[in-house]
Amino acid sequence: MSACGCAVPPAVPVEDEGKRPWWRDRHVMIPVWSGVALLGGLAAEWSGAGVAAQILFWIGLLLGASTFVPGSLRNLFSKRRLGIGLLMTISAIGAVILGFVEEAAALAFLYSISEALEDRAMDRARAGLRSLLTLVPETATVRRGGLSVEVSAEELRIGDLLLVRPGERVATDGLVRSGRSSLDTSAITGESIPVAVAPGDRVSAGSINASGALEIEAGAPGVDNSLTKIVDLVEQAQSEKGQRARLADRLARPLVPGVLVLALLVGVIGSLFGDPATWITRALVVLVAASPCAMAISVPVTVVSAIGAATRFGVVIKSGAAFERFGTVGHLAVDKTGTLTRNEPIVTAIVSTTGASRADVLRWAAAVEEHSTHPLATAITTAFTSSGPDAPAQALPAASAVREEPGQGLIGQVDGATISVGSPRWLGTGALAAEVERFEAEGMSVVVIARDGIVVGAIGVRDELRPEVPAVIEELTAGGTAVTMLTGDNARTAQALAQAAGIADVRAELRPEDKAAAVRALAERQPTAMIGDGINDAPALAAADVGIAMGVTGSDAAIESADVAFTGHDLRLIPQALAHARRGRRIINQNIVLSALIIIVLLPLAITGLLGLAAVVLVHEVAEVIVILNGLRAARAPRATVGARPEGSPESTLAAPLSR
């Protein structure tokens, strides 16, 4: 279903349709060939080949009209639904009856190509969304009768006991019954740090077991888990969003029946009191006079110009409807990890006891963590090799007999001593209890280092806040755009980051469905945009009036379910893109008002016979030139209004915490 309500029957499954190149998509190529025929007709007319020109105009008209006329008529008779497509149909028929095939062909081409491009964007979104389900493994190992049996994931039932080995994905949601490990949930939540799990902890479908073996009691069937619910939530939200009429459609609802009734009255009443041929002709002129030619042409021109300009400064807007909604946004919901933060953990603080220096603590920790691929380990080893003040001059010592305690940390031999590196909950905090508590209160993930069983140091690691964030938030709020942070992280972490960013409204510890519900609640009060980059953001992105995906490295689900995508991660694009969309919407509104005024002025003149068909068409043509020129103003890209914060400023060192 297109934005205008014109049904377009799919020729192939949605997944294939989304992947098919545009030149092999008949729903795109039919309007393209309509345009080719229209251009050919204009060239033939200019060269004096009148017959050839008429033939080409008819070909262009029939091709373009075939994409929206059948659907418009079906919606009219079966669903009693009126839209801009029906008005375009009526206008084209009126123009043909009066002999203006060229104008009818131009209307059919312009309308059909804009609808085809939007339908293709929606097909791609649905195809990308369904690819989420590939995160669930096809088979799972289940304990049955004391034996390990491999079954299809679709056969899993609540209560089944799953064995998930290191490196395997969890097939459905469940509860850990035995074993300890770390789960990589980055493909689902966007969080870069694996989550430690132990007996009693809940796990989600699609997570990757990073270390120890786990026995998990299935809490959901294999075909009805958190991932399938995310897909359902996004598809439902996209369907609801697709039902929201565009501004042109809202105008068409009263205009279509009004024009039909008016033309009928002109023809019938006029024929009763005068020459039927004269009044029937006037009725047809009324149809052409009421044709929203300027609207049909100017809105696509404005939208295409504005979307093209947006791509020049790194913003990809997927459809004209999305662009129209973007210009109305007054509230912005923001994801935390990967959006407000860099999603790159770094060491930001080191503390040691009197028996060791900070350089020793970092050296011992790096020697052991070198044997781990955990993101916290990477941050520590990177800090050792950096040129910071705490980086020791000597080479990294060799660690031997290193073993991992799943979900807790590592133990190894360094310089003849036993070095343990891991969670404060595992090793305790010893004499550094106050420092560890302060680190955690400031939003850091803390790694404790013990030497021969005695705590000698602690390292604070966090995901750094992007340096431009405070200035962007300040710019948005100053411009009247409210900002809310939505995150699945714990409340203390979220509050620490939000305070640094300048965000007052914080919603923490949210699941994907909670984020979507929060966005819907915000959207009930005013048009709301959501910006994020993880699979868990996909339902919220789809539920928002405008979903914005961050960066080409964001998850496919987020990018495909969003209406707008940023090619980079610079948040200064947000106020810049909003200003651009608002300016474009103002131009669209100007063109719509002008188009409506033309119709209002032409109708009485056409009814009374003061203007004939030629004069009406001439006025429409002049109006089209005016609104097209006005629409082209949207091609001017806006300038950035927020300056970058220099690296090393106080804001650039504020960060978000991580967990092991």
Side-chain angles (χ1 to χ4, degrees):
M1 186 72 67
S2 71
C4 70
C6 305
V8 181
V12 294
V14 167
E15 291 80 2
D16 295 336
E17 187 75 15
K19 296 177 182 178
R20 175 173 292 187
W22 66 267
W23 59 88
R24 295 182 57 193
D25 186 345
R26 70 181 184 87
H27 299 306
V28 174
M29 290 308 299
I30 289 176
V32 167
W33 285 116
S34 171
V36 170
L38 175 62
L39 291 175
L42 292 173
E45 186 178 54
W46 179 78
S47 64
V51 175
Q54 287 298 309
I55 293 174
L56 289 170
F57 287 147
W58 271 105
I59 293 173
L61 170 60
L62 294 175
L63 286 173
S66 69
T67 66
F68 64 88
V69 171
S72 298
L73 295 178
R74 280 195 298 270
N75 285 334
L76 174 63
F77 294 113
S78 64
K79 301 179 181 178
R80 302 294 188 270
R81 182 182 299 168
L82 305 179
I84 194 71
L86 180 60
L87 200 51
M88 290 295 98
T89 300
I90 295 170
S91 300
I93 292 173
V96 168
I97 291 174
L98 295 172
F100 285 82
V101 180
E102 175 184 342
E103 177 140 336
L107 286 175
F109 161 66
L110 289 168
Y111 189 66
S112 64
I113 193 68
S114 63
E115 292 298 305
L117 292 176
E118 185 161 341
D119 286 337
R120 181 170 175 81
M122 294 182 67
D123 288 337
R124 287 181 58 83
R126 288 191 291 268
L129 180 62
R130 301 306 302 182
S131 67
L132 279 182
L133 299 181
T134 61
L135 294 176
V136 177
E138 295 181 359
T139 61
T141 303
V142 179
R143 299 284 198 192
R144 288 181 180 171
L147 300 175
S148 296
V149 182
E150 188 173 282
V151 300
S152 169
E154 296 178 354
E155 299 176 17
L156 292 176
R157 298 293 180 265
I158 295 176
D160 282 345
L161 193 62
L162 281 66
L163 173 62
V164 183
R165 302 179 183 88
E168 294 181 344
R169 286 189 184 272
V170 179
T172 191
D173 304 329
L175 195 70
V176 177
R177 287 306 181 194
S178 68
R180 293 178 179 271
S181 186
S182 295
L183 294 183
D184 179 357
T185 62
S186 58
I188 304 169
T189 66
E191 298 287 345
S192 60
I193 305 303
V195 178
V197 294
D201 290 335
R202 296 190 177 277
V203 298
S204 299
S207 303
I208 301 175
N209 186 11
S211 49
L214 295 173
E215 287 189 343
I216 299 172
E217 180 182 339
V223 295
D224 185 21
N225 52 56
S226 56
L227 271 180
T228 61
K229 288 177 181 176
I230 287 177
V231 172
D232 292 340
L233 281 169
V234 177
E235 289 184 332
Q236 179 183 353
Q238 287 179 335
S239 176
E240 291 171 355
K241 187 184 294 183
Q243 298 301 320
R244 303 176 196 167
R246 283 190 266 173
L247 180 57
D249 285 320
R250 294 199 298 272
L251 293 174
R253 287 172 184 169
L255 186 59
V256 170
V259 168
L260 290 175
V261 170
L262 180 61
L264 183 62
L265 290 175
V266 169
V268 173
I269 296 176
S271 297
L272 293 176
F273 298 97
D275 180 19
T278 298
W279 285 100
I280 290 174
T281 300
R282 286 189 185 182
L284 292 174
V285 174
V286 165
L287 283 178
V288 176
S291 170
C293 302
M295 183 189 303
I297 293 174
S298 68
V299 173
V301 167
T302 306
V303 168
V304 169
S305 299
I307 289 176
T311 60
R312 293 200 298 272
F313 61 91
V315 177
V316 178
I317 302 173
K318 294 186 176 181
S319 70
F323 180 78
E324 288 186 34
R325 294 194 302 270
F326 199 15
T328 68
V329 166
H331 201 119
L332 182 67
V334 189
D335 175 49
K336 177 183 73 69
T337 305
T339 304
L340 294 176
T341 67
R342 296 180 181 274
N343 207 14
E344 298 173 356
I346 62 170
V347 171
T348 54
I350 301 174
V351 65
S352 63
T353 62
T354 55
S357 67
R358 293 195 300 176
D360 288 334
V361 168
L362 181 60
R363 184 169 63 90
W364 293 332
V368 176
E369 294 282 33
E370 189 182 31
H371 297 263
S372 173
T373 58
H374 195 286
L376 288 178
T378 302
I380 290 173
T381 55
T382 299
F384 177 85
T385 58
S386 71
S387 57
D390 296 318
Q394 62 266 42
L396 185 67
S400 60
V402 177
R403 71 178 188 277
E404 181 175 4
E405 294 293 329
Q408 305 281 20
L410 299 171
I411 300 175
Q413 297 293 317
V414 181
D415 295 338
T418 300
I419 301 297
S420 303
V421 182
S423 164
R425 266 61 64 187
W426 176 46
L427 296 174
T429 56
L432 301 176
E435 286 81 356
V436 169
E437 184 177 353
R438 176 172 59 84
F439 286 176
E440 292 181 338
E442 291 176 0
M444 301 183 199
S445 295
V446 181
V447 177
V448 171
I449 296 87
R451 190 170 189 266
D452 290 332
I454 300 174
V455 172
V456 294
I459 298 175
V461 180
R462 58 188 174 190
D463 189 4
E464 193 176 43
L465 188 70
R466 297 183 187 279
E468 73 273 13
V469 167
V472 168
I473 300 302
E474 182 180 354
E475 173 77 8
L476 289 170
T477 53
T481 303
V483 181
T484 297
M485 187 174 81
L486 306 178
T487 179
D489 215 335
N490 65 76
R492 184 172 64 176
T493 293
Q495 288 291 346
L497 180 73
Q499 184 176 4
I503 300 174
D505 186 10
V506 182
R507 319 282 176 90
E509 301 177 5
L510 302 179
R511 295 172 297 177
E513 56 267 35
D514 298 328
K515 286 187 177 183
V519 167
R520 281 193 293 269
L522 293 172
E524 289 177 359
R525 296 198 291 268
Q526 61 182 319
T528 299
M530 167 71 190
I531 181 166
D533 71 339
I535 290 176
N536 66 321
D537 299 321
L541 291 172
D545 294 289
V546 178
I548 306 172
M550 275 291 288
V552 294
T553 58
S555 76
D556 290 342
I559 293 172
E560 296 293 357
S561 62
D563 305 291
V564 178
F566 290 174
T567 57
H569 286 85
D570 191 340
L571 289 176
R572 289 173 296 176
L573 288 175
I574 296 175
Q576 189 178 4
L578 278 173
H580 181 59
R582 288 166 181 165
R583 179 173 178 271
R585 183 174 173 81
R586 286 196 298 270
I587 294 175
I588 289 174
N589 290 338
Q590 292 167 6
N591 285 338
I592 288 177
V593 169
L594 178 58
S595 302
L597 288 175
I598 291 171
I599 294 172
I600 292 171
V601 171
L602 286 181
L603 282 177
L605 298 177
I607 293 171
T608 58
L610 293 177
L611 287 182
L613 178 62
V616 167
V617 171
L618 178 62
V619 172
H620 273 303
E621 296 293 344
V622 172
E624 288 167 16
V625 172
I626 293 173
V627 296
I628 287 173
L629 292 176
N630 189 42
L632 291 175
R633 294 193 300 118
R636 189 170 71 247
R639 295 181 179 179
T641 56
V642 182
R645 299 272 181 168
E647 293 292 333
S649 66
E651 291 84 357
S652 70
T653 60
L654 297 171
L658 309 163
S659 58
R660 186 157 191 148

